[in-house]
Amino acid sequence: MSEQNSESTYYVMTSIPYVNGRPHIGFALEAVQGDVLVRHHRLKGEKSRYLSGSDENALTVVQAAEVQGAELEEMVAANAEAFRAIQIPLDVRYDDFIRTSTDPRHFPGAQKLWRKMDAAGDIYKRHYQGNYCIKCERFYREEELVDGTCPIHGTAPEAVDEENYFFALSKYQDKLIELIESNTLLVQPEHRREEMLSFIRGGLEDISISRQALRGKGWGVPVPDDPDQVMYVWVDALSNYITALDYAEDQSDLYDTYWKGDGQRVHVVGKDIIRFHVVFWPAFLMSAGEPLPTIVNVHEFLMSDGEKMSKSRGNVVDPLALVELYGVDALRYWFIREMPRNGDGNFSHDRLIGRYNQDLANDLGNLVNRSVGMLHRYRGGVVPSVPADRASALKALAETVPARMDAALDAFDFREAVAAAWEIVTRANKFVDDEKPWEIAKAAKAGDTDADARLDVVLADLIEAIRIVAVVLSPVMPSGSGRIAAQLGFGLEDGDAAARDWSDALAGRELPAAAPVFPRIEVEE
RNA sequence: GGGCCUGUAGCUCAGCGGUAGAGCACGGGGCUCAUAACCCCUUGGUCGCAGGUUCGAUCCCUGCCGGGCCUACCA
């Protein structure tokens, strides 16, 4: 499975959203999933990088600016900033954020990719006419239109009659099948892999990859040597994953390290754009003779109280509002714990609150609170010094957790990863009830020296178990884990894989007074 | 219209040839270190509907119903 060492690299990329609106909860999910992955691999000591960005060259953006009566560049900049800025409230940490309309790295990189595809003989010109829906960024056949309008947007499509460039996608059908079947390009979860395979087997046709520059007032990446054409948005958008690595340069350390190395190159995308990432993008790269991504992980969508989220229904959930209401840990934990592998997730405030109160406040938070509380009551707040190699049920369990989390996250099973960590929490709470430290303390006070020694072990075990939980959960809840760490008098660090192992690192440390780490969310009836 | 996915306890989800599991919620009991938290036990399902294959199906096949994603162009 994963025998990564400190030399292997891990490059995670979110899809880059259109900038004609504000961040949606679905994108927050994606950003958090990616963040959990990078933080986890970084914790293990792998050289990791996390990229996000904004897709700014689409016609929809031009149109949105017109509708809003806004200056195009200003609107784009403002919205891009909104997406970049979600890092703060969501505890997400990008290493890089690329804007496709303004970043100097992007245009030349996208054009370099185009030239290479062209040099491979995969780009050709073709004349056609059709009905183009700007909002959908695609053409419709006559019979697909509803009363002459776009079936999705209900607006009249633009009659387009022009000559565009096409990409010889059909050439790559067999190679793509081979890549996916062999898991050289791993598509997760499994059913998405099957879906893509059957789609490709159904036959691939060449695709249009440019449009006339005039249609978008010149907005977009110009096709090399043909200023009348700009790149179809997906060619331009997908290339961001490498243009951000200075692909345009003749020599780039970033590109060599993260795209040419034998590490992982991981896309985290929604189910609506699998095809672009699993079919088009790898085909473009093969054509250009560049390495391919190694993994495409697909997440599903979020429903709101059982209904599809949509602006017209007015049930769109704002992720930042949730952070303000419930805190970032509640939201991040909910994404990871409740989002199913197959099928859409269903968001509701009640479920988020319930999950937070039960798991974070009652189970984990209370475990920390009662353990630290007893440490103060019986040992003056100082962690007892007992050998780390003592036999312990908690230790035995805790030692299995890192490997289980690694395996679960390698398979993008976030829930399973958290479940593994949670076994320590559950077991530790039971441990307290079984051991009854308050009774041991009474016996010790009565002069029982064995009891005194036993109390040291029980308390030390609890503190150590909690320390490990804080460490392994830190990729999921950086803030919450940080607060637990502070409560235990230590700091979280990247690249410290050994921190996940049972030790006596905290022995002798004096801890601050117990204070709730995850206060309950009180709901008014 | 076509392709693919999906429908399992009140809720959120696992399981996917040998007649069902977890967590939460509900009910009962225990404990007191703790954020009225924690621990134990119980209750609870004709596994969307109807056929079929099989010694045997929640798990395979067909159809239907409900939900979802896609539908790439000289169709």
Side-chain angles (χ1 to χ4, degrees), chain A residues 333-376:
Chain A
Y333 180 73
W334 188 83
F335 279 151
I336 296 310
R337 177 63 182 75
E338 290 253 323
M339 200 58 197
R341 271 165 84 54
N342 297 350
D344 290 339
N346 194 3
F347 175 84
S348 82
H349 289 264
D350 285 349
R351 272 195 270 276
L352 184 144
I353 292 168
R355 205 82 236 179
Y356 174 90
N357 278 343
Q358 186 55 48
D359 291 3
L360 297 184
N362 293 356
D363 285 351
L364 176 55
N366 185 52
L367 171 67
V368 175
N369 196 237
R370 69 198 302 209
S371 300
V372 175
M374 286 189 286
L375 189 71
H376 275 90

Side-chain angles (χ1 to χ4, degrees), chain A residues 23 57 136 151 180 194 224 247 270 332 390 449 451:
Chain A
N57 299 321
C136 298
I180 299 168
E194 299 305 325
Y247 176 66
R332 287 181 63 114
R390 65 191 178 280
T449 52

Side-chain angles (χ1 to χ4, degrees), chain A residues 179 189 255 289 333 397 431 445 469 485 494 501:
Chain A
L179 279 168
Y255 189 74
Y333 180 73
L397 174 63
F431 179 72
K445 203 171 182 181
V469 169
D494 283 340
D501 297 332

Side-chain angles (χ1 to χ4, degrees), chain A residues 70 89 107 120 124 165 169 180 201 229 233 245 252 277 304 331 350 375 384 481 489 504 518:
Chain A
F107 277 35
Y124 60 95
Y165 289 98
L169 181 65
I180 299 168
R201 289 195 186 105
Q229 298 267 326
V233 66
L245 297 174
S252 160
H277 288 81
S304 174
L331 181 62
D350 285 349
L375 189 71
S481 279
D504 57 1
F518 298 108

Side-chain angles (χ1 to χ4, degrees), chain A residues 99-114:
Chain A
R99 291 188 49 194
T100 60
S101 77
T102 59
D103 205 303
R105 297 171 293 181
H106 187 66
F107 277 35
Q111 288 168 331
K112 178 177 174 184
L113 183 69
W114 178 288

Side-chain angles (χ1 to χ4, degrees), chain A residues 367 371 375 383-396 398 424 428 431-432 435 453-469 488 502-504 506:
Chain A
L367 171 67
S371 300
L375 189 71
V383 181
S385 292
V386 292
D389 60 357
R390 65 191 178 280
S392 156
L394 282 179
K395 179 187 176 189
I424 301 178
F431 179 72
V432 174
E435 296 293 338
R454 179 63 195 160
L455 190 53
D456 275 351
V457 170
V458 169
L459 293 173
D461 271 8
L462 278 172
I463 297 299
E464 178 59 11
I466 293 168
R467 187 192 64 77
I468 290 176
V469 169
L488 296 198
W502 190 271
S503 74
D504 57 1
L506 297 181

